[in-house]
Amino acid sequence: SEQSRALESQNNETSKEMEQRLQEAQKSNAELQELCANRETELNDLNTKLEDVLRDLKTEKANADTYEKQLRDAESALKEKNEEIANLQSTLTETKETISKRENIDKEQSEQTNVELLALQNELNETKSSLDAANAVVTSKD
């Protein structure tokens, strides 16, 4: 019976220790669950932020692609305009050369016409002198 009490006392003590350990384990478990829940909330928040950043990056990439296409289109249009300008400059140069040639031809023709007019004027003057001389002869005979 002494042994029985000693065993019961030891059982009670062991039982109290086990109860205390169980409570400590439960308390530790509750703290770990709270910590896990907090970490899960933090991870969810970070995941949401990452999804937002990813969405923003996709939007920025789409915008960059659009701008790049607009830039290529603008460069192409600029190249076409530069070709048009070069063609117009070439046409302008050709037109200036044609005008210059025409002016030279007109100048030569004008000079030739002036020479011919001067010759005709001289011929007219000679004819007039001859007529005046003939008239003087006819007038003096009368």
Side-chain angles (χ1 to χ4, degrees):
S1 125
E2 179 80 24
Q3 197 177 10
S4 177
R5 272 193 236 141
L7 273 176
E8 191 176 326
S9 174
Q10 189 177 5
N11 275 345
N12 283 342
E13 194 137 329
T14 303
S15 187
K16 284 180 184 177
E17 281 179 26
M18 294 300 260
E19 184 68 31
Q20 188 177 357
R21 284 185 185 169
L22 178 62
Q23 287 176 357
E24 288 173 3
Q26 287 174 338
K27 181 180 175 187
S28 180
N29 189 30
E31 288 171 357
L32 285 173
Q33 284 179 343
E34 183 180 349
L35 193 61
C36 285
N38 290 342
R39 291 292 180 258
E40 187 176 356
T41 300
E42 288 174 11
L43 284 172
N44 287 338
D45 291 347
L46 286 173
N47 194 32
T48 300
K49 287 178 183 176
L50 277 173
E51 288 172 356
D52 291 346
V53 167
L54 185 60
R55 190 177 328 103
D56 291 346
L57 285 173
K58 285 180 181 178
T59 300
E60 286 179 24
K61 167 102 171 63
N63 290 340
D65 290 346
T66 299
Y67 296 144
E68 188 177 348
K69 183 185 182 316
Q70 289 173 347
L71 181 60
R72 281 194 308 270
D73 292 348
E75 286 172 343
S76 177
L78 181 61
K79 184 178 177 186
E80 287 177 17
K81 291 297 178 188
N82 284 337
E83 288 173 4
E84 286 178 29
I85 289 170
N87 289 339
L88 288 171
Q89 286 174 332
S90 176
T91 301
L92 179 61
T93 301
E94 290 172 10
T95 302
K96 284 181 178 179
E97 289 171 0
T98 301
I99 289 170
S100 179
K101 288 177 186 175
R102 184 67 205 169
E103 285 173 345
N104 288 337
I105 291 170
D106 288 350
K107 184 178 177 186
E108 289 174 12
Q109 287 178 343
S110 177
E111 288 172 359
Q112 181 63 35
T113 302
N114 284 341
V115 168
E116 290 172 5
L117 283 174
L118 190 57
L120 286 173
Q121 184 69 44
N122 289 338
E123 200 178 310
L124 182 61
N125 287 341
E126 288 174 16
T127 303
K128 188 177 180 213
S129 293
S130 296
L131 280 174
D132 286 346
N135 277 338
V137 171
V138 170
T139 305
S140 67
K141 287 188 178 178
D142 287 341

